[in-house]
Amino acid sequence: MANRAGLEYWISGLGRLTILLGEVFKSLFTQRFNWDGFMQQMHFIGVKSQSVVLITGAFTGMVLCAQTYFQFHKVHMDSATLAVVSVSMCSELGPVLTALMVAGRVGAAMAAELGTMKVTEQIDALRTLATHPVDYLVVPRMLATLIAMPLLTIESISIGIGAAYAIGVGLLDIDAAYSWQYVIKYTDVNEIFTGIIKATIFGVCIALIGCYKGLFCEGGAEGVGKATTEAVVYASITVLMSNFFLTLLLNHLLP
């Protein structure tokens, strides 16, 4: 019985999530856009996420460079180290780690903010003023995340490759000229497109799950805390699972 109840909970949740996504797309083309809310979310998501994205990208690039160098040095392939870092950062590590950082910071904030509004009946007050919460609250967050995620990912990839170059050339004494030659040769433009496409889809998942958990939050302060935790966990799991299927699909479409 417990398994059946759990399955029904998951199916109903998936249905409400799908309906919410449909309402967002419908609102984008039929309702007046909340520009003030959009600009506030762009500042919160895009500008205030800079530090965590830069630190994550830089240290990921440096540790990947060092670990790759230690293995490649055994077979005298030192100059190929930066090429491995570049390909890995563009197509996998850059978009995935950026999405996980944004899910922890932005997804949690969305669930907490909307959840607090839900339990204090502010969302019901919006409805009495003939303002639909999806139009006013969800659409600006969704669109801001959709635009900010690819930009943050490009920033993370760039700082990761730059930090790897600094460590590789400055500390590990890798030949700079050959390294850049291999980076340009093996980093295909499709690797960059793959990373941007993944980041865009991850952004949709993070915003959708964060807003959904907030809008359907129940149980007062305890419910807000539970919704915040679930938003981070479900968004992170969705990012990791969808990354696997996107990798298979995009490698088929962009060989």
Side-chain angles (χ1 to χ4, degrees):
M1 290 298 290
N3 291 335
R4 181 177 179 181
L7 181 62
E8 291 177 350
Y9 174 80
W10 275 96
I11 292 175
S12 64
L14 188 61
R16 287 185 290 189
L17 203 64
T18 305
I19 293 172
L20 178 61
L21 182 61
E23 290 180 343
V24 169
F25 278 106
K26 180 182 177 183
S27 176
L28 281 173
F29 300 103
T30 59
Q31 301 298 321
R32 184 178 177 181
F33 189 65
N34 178 10
W35 283 104
D36 290 339
F38 170 72
M39 294 306 296
Q40 289 175 4
Q41 291 303 316
M42 280 297 294
H43 179 261
F44 175 68
I45 299 168
V47 178
K48 291 194 172 182
S49 298
Q50 296 287 312
S51 57
V52 67
V53 168
L54 290 175
I55 292 171
T56 302
F59 278 92
T60 300
M62 287 191 290
V63 74
L64 182 59
C65 175
Q67 190 62 41
T68 305
Y69 169 80
F70 294 143
Q71 301 302 318
F72 278 21
H73 185 66
K74 298 175 184 176
V75 290
H76 308 290
M77 292 178 61
D78 303 8
S79 299
T81 299
L82 286 183
V84 173
V85 174
S86 175
V87 172
S88 301
M89 287 297 296
C90 288
S91 60
E92 292 296 334
L93 294 178
V96 171
L97 293 180
T98 302
L100 293 178
M101 292 299 106
V102 172
R105 182 179 179 276
V106 175
M110 289 180 181
E113 187 176 4
L114 297 186
T116 302
M117 294 180 70
K118 176 69 166 42
V119 298
T120 56
E121 300 182 349
Q122 295 180 56
I123 291 181
D124 294 333
L126 283 176
R127 295 182 191 276
T128 62
L129 297 172
T131 301
H132 198 291
V134 172
D135 304 336
Y136 188 73
L137 299 173
V138 178
V139 172
R141 287 168 171 77
M142 176 73 77
L143 195 59
T145 312
L146 194 67
I147 295 173
M149 265 300 295
L151 298 177
L152 290 172
T153 299
I154 292 172
E155 190 175 40
S156 176
I157 292 171
S158 302
I159 197 69
I161 295 174
Y165 177 85
I167 291 296
V169 176
L171 185 64
L172 302 176
D173 202 24
I174 297 174
D175 186 276
Y178 279 117
S179 292
W180 276 119
Q181 184 179 351
Y182 284 129
V183 167
I184 295 171
K185 181 178 180 180
Y186 291 107
T187 308
D188 194 83
V189 67
N190 286 343
E191 306 286 351
I192 301 171
F193 284 144
T194 297
I196 293 173
I197 292 171
K198 283 184 177 181
T200 304
I201 296 174
F202 293 160
V204 173
C205 295
I206 292 168
L208 187 66
I209 293 173
C211 292
Y212 166 75
K213 284 297 176 183
L215 288 177
F216 292 93
C217 173
E218 294 178 345
E222 184 180 351
V224 174
K226 182 181 178 183
T228 304
T229 303
E230 288 182 349
V232 176
V233 172
Y234 291 161
S236 300
I237 291 174
T238 302
V239 166
L240 294 175
M241 291 178 66
S242 60
N243 180 56
F244 170 72
F245 294 106
L246 285 171
T247 298
L248 296 181
L249 178 64
L250 293 174
N251 273 281
H252 179 71
L253 297 177
L254 303 172

